[in-house]
Amino acid sequence: QVQLVESGGGLVQAGGSLRLSCAASGDTFSRYSMGWFRQAPGKEREFVVGITWRGYTTPYADSVKGRFTVARDNAKNTVALQMNSLKPEDTAVYYCAARSGDYSRYAAEYNYWGQGTQVTVSS
C-alpha cells in the first residue's frame, strides 16, 4: 500500500501560480503511476494529468494545457503539479492518486488517493 498526502493549496488571485506537492509513503513509490485529479463543487472528479514511474506523461486536460506541469521525483517519493496562469475555473479540491501499472485517465482505476488540497482562485 501507499499513503499519499497533498500540500500546497491555497487562495490565489487569477493569473497567479501555485505548486502542489504529493508525498508518498509506504510501498515503493517508483512502482506506481500517478495522477492528478480535481473536483469542483457540484461537479464530477476531473482528470488533470497522469505520469508513469519513468516520468512519461499523459496529455493534459484541455482546460489546463499549457498552464500546468507535472513532475515526479522518485528519489524523494514526490509528485508535483506546477499551476501557472490560474483562472477562477481552476478552483477545486485537487487530489493525487496512485495505481500500479501504466497511467490512466480514469479515477476508478486508481487504488490510492490523498485527502485532497483546496485551491481557490479569486477573480
Side-chain angles (χ1 to χ4, degrees):
Q1 290 191 350
V2 62
Q3 292 78 43
L4 304 173
V5 178
E6 302 96 335
S7 62
L11 174 64
V12 64
Q13 289 189 334
S17 298
L18 283 174
R19 183 177 179 86
L20 304 184
S21 183
C22 175
S25 61
D27 201 354
T28 305
F29 180 63
S30 60
R31 292 182 179 178
Y32 295 89
S33 292
M34 304 297 294
W36 282 100
F37 292 78
R38 66 185 184 182
Q39 189 165 19
K43 295 188 176 181
E44 293 187 355
R45 194 162 295 190
E46 175 188 20
F47 174 78
V48 176
V49 67
I51 184 167
T52 70
W53 70 275
R54 290 178 179 267
Y56 297 130
T57 63
T58 64
Y60 290 78
D62 288 343
S63 55
V64 307
K65 198 174 298 182
R67 301 186 297 120
F68 289 13
T69 304
V70 65
R72 69 187 290 164
D73 185 334
N74 288 337
K76 296 182 178 180
N77 292 353
T78 60
V79 59
L81 184 67
Q82 178 66 42
M83 307 187 296
N84 298 328
S85 303
L86 283 162
K87 304 175 181 181
E89 50 263 44
D90 294 319
T91 296
V93 177
Y94 284 71
Y95 299 90
C96 69
R99 69 184 302 270
S100 55
D102 208 351
Y103 54 58
S104 172
R105 304 178 63 87
Y106 303 103
E109 295 184 357
Y110 285 80
N111 307 104
Y112 305 103
W113 291 82
Q115 82 289 351
T117 186
Q118 176 71 48
V119 170
T120 303
V121 184
S122 63
S123 57

